[in-house]
Amino acid sequence: MGSSSSYTEDDFSTSAFDPSTFSVQELVKLAAPDFSIPQPFVRINEQSPSLSVTTPLPPTIDMSRLLLADDHHNLELHKLHATCQDWGIFQLVNHGVSSSLLEKLKHEVEEFYRLPLEEKLKYKVREGELEGYGRRTRGDGKYDWVDTFNIITNPLHRRRPHLFPQLPPSLRSTMECYLSELQKLATKLIGFMGKALKIKEKEMMELFDDGLQAVRMAYYPPCPQPESVMGLFPHSDMTLLTILHQLNGVDGLEVKKNGLWFPFNVNPDAFVVNVGDIFQIFSNGVYHSIEHKVTCNKERERITVTFNLSPNFEAEVGPSLSLINAENPPLFRRVGMEEYFKHTSAFDPSTFSVQELVKLAAPDFSIPQPFVRINQQPPSLSVSTPLPPTMDMSRLLLEDDHQKLELHKLHSTCQDWGIFQLVNHGVSSSLLEKLKHEVEEFYRLPLEEKLKYKIGERGWEGYGRRMRADGKYDWVDTLNIITNPLHMRSPHVFPQLPPPLRSTMECYLSELQKLATKLIGFMGKALKIKEKEMMELFDDGLQAVKMAYYPPCPHPESVMGLIPHSDMTLLTILHQLNGVDGLEIKKNGLWFPFNVNPDAFVVNVGDIFEIFSNGVYHSVEHKVTCNKERERITVTFNLSPNFETEVGPSLSLINAENPPLFRRVGMEDYCKQFSTLKVYGKKYLDYMRIQPSENGD
């Protein structure tokens, strides 16, 4: 974020977006009135329009009548039973929790959300965890329009020492009282539900004795375009029972009934209770968990506290033994509670591997939503098109007319295409074979071994993936490493690689550095740029390598191996290890497959070279598609200027007749700005281009 007091669209672009430190509350508070919704939150045509027509809402249950020992109790118990069967959700009045405690809770939760962001971030969600203040990506790769604080509160040994125990004392004390009251209330309610189902009391009590208890505070800020976001995406709760307290009287809850969505307006004196998935399983389908969501208000905030109760981790999740017999066989399988939670955990990009998914999934598995892209890639054309010429390095190294011809071909290819294949490059076949073996061995390692190198919370280097500008992920497992300058190497990545891979990679990088130096020298010669200026550009430059594993995909048309983009670098050299194609390039607005010669490297001009050549050379927009049956493995070498240089047009090329077409920035600023823009296609290069108004025209 810049020094301005308000947020801009670029501050919340997906490439810079960090869910662990982002707050929609702060965005709404500080943003300009006409701000655009950040892309990670935008959902288009994904929620059915809620109906305003009248519909019968579920009956309200009166706890005071359930506690009687007469016909009123029997009638209320019957109503509770029928409501859990037909709806799976109800409002509970006369619940016994004092209004003074609820008023105190409202005050303390509101005070928490009034804290400065840096105070709230002391409780932020940590990498690989679900508890804390912040957010997690949903199954569609998007985020909900809400700031939540999730805490496990029971069993006591599961409390995170940096969360509940560290809450502001008045909030912690009030929450302890509230949780104690809710535990008593939930115990009574579950007892009545078990009684209505005719489940043995002992089995009912054992289900949640010292059970898993969690609380969720949620702040839904007002949203200027509420139709474009979701406060909480459609779901049913994975718990046994959920009790919601809506603190400030602002509605937003909607429930799904018979395929239609209806608003659920809450009585301010009531709790909202809903059956969770575990209770549906436990009742063997007699009770039903309800699908629900939260919409946002254009003008008012909504604040809620949700209490969740589930069985303890030693229990099994499955149909009640009291209900199962020959006439009533089990409808659900039985699993341990811990295993149940593992299977229902949210998608975590920091530990997810598409390689593992493909390896372990059933043959007809569905593509996870964070990877699905529909109608976003133009169909590739199979018609013939002239592909860029192939360059012969051995001819460039000659000192005769062959070199001049090859140099002219190199120059025109960089002008017209910005990409070419390079043969006779001088890197030995034995080294390339060794590299292929070691990279394949790395991807054969167990996932837990590869995750030792996983991308850090805000970093770029490591094993894993980052969300793209469209809120989606590429169908690839990558390992990104900065290898030069040496002081920029992350200690947990390159130095910790398996020794044979590290040694082989060192040799390969040395050879590629020599090759890139020669190539850039020839390109500078063709452009008539002074040799000294050319060499200063990348002396001790930024060097990075990217290993990429693209697994086969059963529906390749629904994913992308690599989004359309041009490289932000000076020069990129790609080695396709296993002969499986997938690279496509854009020419004259059309996409064409780029089939690679197994003995060649693919070299492409980066954005920095286009800038440096003042637009004489062109970086190429390219993408990677996936194969239905075969994996694709590549190693990419990227070279850029060192951090002390400036990125801008070559001084050798600029004069009165040839003014600069691009602005000039320091390399470090260039990289920072790149990380704050929505990088898709050649957007960043367009940002660097000088507009007519900047030239005074």
Side-chain angles (χ1 to χ4, degrees):
M1 186 169 34
S3 59
S4 168
S5 62
S6 64
Y7 289 118
T8 67
E9 183 177 356
D10 287 339
D11 287 320
F12 297 100
S13 64
T14 310
S15 51
F17 173 70
D18 180 2
S20 70
T21 58
F22 184 88
S23 163
V24 280
Q25 180 185 8
E26 294 299 306
L27 169 63
V28 172
K29 189 192 301 181
L30 300 176
D34 60 345
F35 75 95
S36 298
I37 306 297
Q39 278 302 313
F41 296 87
V42 174
R43 288 176 162 108
I44 301 171
N45 299 326
E46 293 197 24
Q47 39 185 330
S48 307
S50 303
L51 301 183
S52 58
V53 297
T54 304
T55 180
L57 285 175
T60 295
I61 305 299
D62 188 332
M63 192 69 186
S64 65
R65 291 170 66 93
L66 283 172
L67 293 170
L68 298 172
D70 57 13
D71 288 343
H72 293 295
H73 164 84
N74 294 332
L75 288 170
E76 204 68 19
L77 189 66
H78 175 75
K79 187 165 70 165
L80 172 67
H81 184 62
T83 303
C84 290
Q85 286 180 295
D86 297 340
W87 284 91
I89 191 169
F90 54 88
Q91 297 193 60
L92 184 72
V93 294
N94 297 320
H95 42 65
V97 181
S98 73
S99 58
S100 60
L101 175 58
L102 295 180
E103 194 56 43
K104 177 70 171 162
L105 179 70
K106 176 179 183 288
H107 172 76
E108 294 300 338
V109 174
E110 287 177 340
E111 284 299 300
F112 175 83
Y113 280 107
R114 287 190 188 107
L115 289 173
L117 179 59
E118 56 268 25
E119 286 296 309
K120 296 194 285 273
L121 287 176
K122 290 177 181 178
Y123 311 99
K124 74 174 183 176
V125 177
R126 294 180 177 180
E127 189 177 337
E129 296 182 1
L130 297 174
E131 288 181 81
Y133 173 83
R135 70 205 65 258
R136 280 283 180 189
T137 183
R138 293 298 190 179
D140 59 357
K142 296 290 186 178
Y143 293 89
D144 297 332
W145 190 258
V146 62
D147 290 342
T148 62
F149 192 177
N150 293 290
I151 318 173
I152 290 177
T153 53
N154 198 68
L156 296 181
H157 70 270
R158 287 189 173 269
R159 289 187 177 183
R160 303 279 185 189
H162 70 288
L163 295 180
F164 197 90
Q166 299 302 319
L167 288 178
S170 53
L171 172 58
R172 186 176 69 246
S173 171
T174 303
M175 191 64 79
E176 286 280 23
C177 294
Y178 180 70
L179 293 172
S180 173
E181 292 298 303
L182 267 282
Q183 179 66 33
K184 295 174 196 170
L185 176 62
T187 301
K188 292 172 186 172
L189 259 181
I190 290 171
F192 288 129
M193 293 160 79
K195 181 179 179 182
L197 286 163
K198 298 181 173 58
I199 294 174
K200 293 172 183 173
E201 186 177 356
K202 181 173 182 291
E203 184 185 4
M204 203 72 212
M205 292 302 107
E206 284 176 351
L207 180 66
F208 66 96
D209 180 47
D210 200 26
L212 190 65
Q213 183 192 96
V215 67
R216 178 182 190 253
M217 292 157 41
Y219 180 99
Y220 303 88
C223 180
Q225 294 104 37
E227 71 285 349
S228 299
V229 302
M230 218 177 276
L232 191 61
F233 84 133
H235 70 290
S236 59
D237 293 342
M238 61 178 286
T239 59
L240 186 69
L241 198 74
T242 299
I243 303 177
L244 169 82
H245 176 39
Q246 190 166 279
L247 271 69
N248 65 335
V250 177
D251 287 314
L253 180 63
E254 298 193 359
V255 296
K256 196 173 190 179
K257 181 72 170 171
N258 300 325
L260 299 175
W261 286 101
F262 297 99
F264 190 101
N265 298 323
V266 180
N267 176 342
D269 298 320
F271 288 147
V272 178
V273 181
N274 62 279
V275 172
D277 293 342
I278 294 177
F279 218 131
Q280 178 166 341
I281 293 167
F282 187 65
S283 71
N284 204 34
V286 177
Y287 288 175
H288 292 282
S289 59
I290 183 83
E291 189 175 353
H292 55 288
K293 66 181 179 183
V294 173
T295 58
C296 293
N297 192 294
K298 192 168 185 175
E299 296 168 355
R300 296 189 62 193
E301 66 193 10
R302 178 176 185 258
I303 309 176
T304 62
V305 174
T306 307
F307 172 89
N308 295 297
L309 190 64
S310 298
N312 64 68
F313 262 41
E314 284 65 51
E316 278 193 323
V317 175
S320 163
L321 299 178
S322 302
L323 299 179
I324 302 306
N325 52 48
E327 291 75 39
N328 188 32
L331 301 179
F332 301 91
R333 65 187 67 188
R334 186 174 296 278
V335 298
M337 181 64 182
E338 195 159 3
E339 188 69 17
Y340 173 82
F341 263 97
K342 282 180 184 175
H343 284 291
T344 50
S345 293
F347 168 74
D348 181 0
S350 71
T351 58
F352 187 87
S353 162
V354 279
Q355 180 185 8
E356 294 300 306
L357 170 65
V358 172
K359 188 191 301 180
L360 301 176
D364 58 345
F365 75 95
S366 298
I367 306 297
Q369 278 301 313
F371 295 88
V372 174
R373 288 178 164 107
I374 301 171
N375 300 326
Q376 292 202 29
Q377 38 185 330
S380 302
L381 302 183
S382 58
V383 297
S384 297
T385 180
L387 285 176
T390 295
M391 297 296 127
D392 189 330
M393 193 68 186
S394 65
R395 291 171 66 93
L396 283 171
L397 293 170
L398 298 173
E399 294 186 3
D400 57 13
D401 288 343
H402 292 295
Q403 185 202 55
K404 291 176 183 175
L405 288 170
E406 203 69 18
L407 193 63
H408 175 75
K409 188 167 70 166
L410 173 67
H411 185 62
S412 61
T413 303
C414 291
Q415 286 180 296
D416 298 340
W417 288 91
I419 190 170
F420 55 88
Q421 298 192 59
L422 184 70
V423 295
N424 297 320
H425 42 64
V427 182
S428 73
S429 58
S430 59
L431 176 56
L432 296 178
E433 194 56 43
K434 177 70 172 161
L435 180 69
K436 176 178 182 290
H437 172 76
E438 295 302 338
V439 173
E440 287 176 340
E441 285 298 301
F442 175 83
Y443 281 107
R444 287 190 188 106
L445 290 173
L447 179 59
E448 57 268 25
E449 286 296 309
K450 295 194 285 274
L451 287 176
K452 290 177 181 177
Y453 311 100
K454 75 175 181 177
I455 297 171
E457 194 170 280
R458 296 206 66 177
W460 170 83
E461 283 185 89
Y463 173 83
R465 71 206 67 257
R466 281 289 181 193
M467 184 188 286
R468 294 297 191 177
D470 59 356
K472 297 292 185 177
Y473 295 88
D474 298 333
W475 190 259
V476 62
D477 291 340
T478 61
L479 177 61
N480 291 293
I481 317 171
I482 291 176
T483 54
N484 197 69
L486 297 180
H487 70 270
M488 290 188 71
R489 289 187 176 183
S490 293
H492 77 288
V493 186
F494 195 89
Q496 300 302 320
L497 289 178
L501 173 58
R502 188 175 69 245
S503 172
T504 304
M505 191 64 79
E506 288 279 20
C507 294
Y508 180 70
L509 293 172
S510 174
E511 291 298 303
L512 268 282
Q513 176 68 34
K514 294 174 197 170
L515 176 63
T517 301
K518 291 173 186 172
L519 261 180
I520 290 171
F522 286 126
M523 293 161 78
K525 183 178 180 179
L527 286 163
K528 298 181 173 58
I529 295 174
K530 292 172 183 174
E531 186 177 355
K532 183 174 182 288
E533 185 185 4
M534 203 72 213
M535 292 302 107
E536 285 176 350
L537 181 66
F538 66 95
D539 181 47
D540 199 28
L542 190 64
Q543 188 187 96
V545 67
K546 176 191 181 194
M547 291 160 41
Y549 181 98
Y550 304 88
C553 180
H555 310 289
E557 71 286 348
S558 299
V559 302
M560 216 178 278
L562 193 60
I563 59 163
H565 70 289
S566 59
D567 294 341
M568 64 168 284
T569 59
L570 186 69
L571 199 75
T572 299
I573 303 177
L574 169 81
H575 176 40
Q576 191 165 277
L577 270 68
N578 65 335
V580 177
D581 287 315
L583 181 63
E584 298 193 0
I585 59 173
K586 196 173 191 179
K587 180 71 169 170
N588 300 325
L590 300 176
W591 286 102
F592 298 99
F594 190 100
N595 298 324
V596 180
N597 177 342
D599 297 320
F601 289 148
V602 178
V603 181
N604 63 279
V605 173
D607 291 344
I608 294 177
F609 219 131
E610 178 165 343
I611 294 166
F612 187 65
S613 72
N614 205 34
V616 177
Y617 288 174
H618 293 284
S619 60
V620 66
E621 190 174 349
H622 54 287
K623 66 181 179 182
V624 173
T625 58
C626 294
N627 192 293
K628 191 168 186 176
E629 296 169 354
R630 296 189 63 192
E631 66 193 10
R632 179 176 184 256
I633 310 176
T634 62
V635 174
T636 307
F637 171 88
N638 296 297
L639 189 65
S640 297
N642 64 66
F643 265 34
E644 283 67 51
T645 60
E646 279 194 322
V647 174
S650 164
L651 299 178
S652 302
L653 300 178
I654 302 306
N655 53 47
E657 290 74 40
N658 188 31
L661 301 179
F662 299 91
R663 64 189 71 186
R664 186 175 296 278
V665 298
M667 178 62 186
E668 192 163 4
D669 285 339
Y670 173 87
C671 291
K672 284 178 182 175
Q673 288 164 356
F674 175 83
S675 70
T676 60
L677 289 173
K678 297 178 185 139
V679 182
Y680 198 93
K682 298 186 71 171
K683 187 179 179 89
Y684 188 51
L685 195 66
D686 294 337
Y687 166 78
M688 287 292 293
R689 202 177 299 277
I690 294 174
Q691 303 304 316
S693 59
E694 296 179 68
N695 280 327
D697 296 338

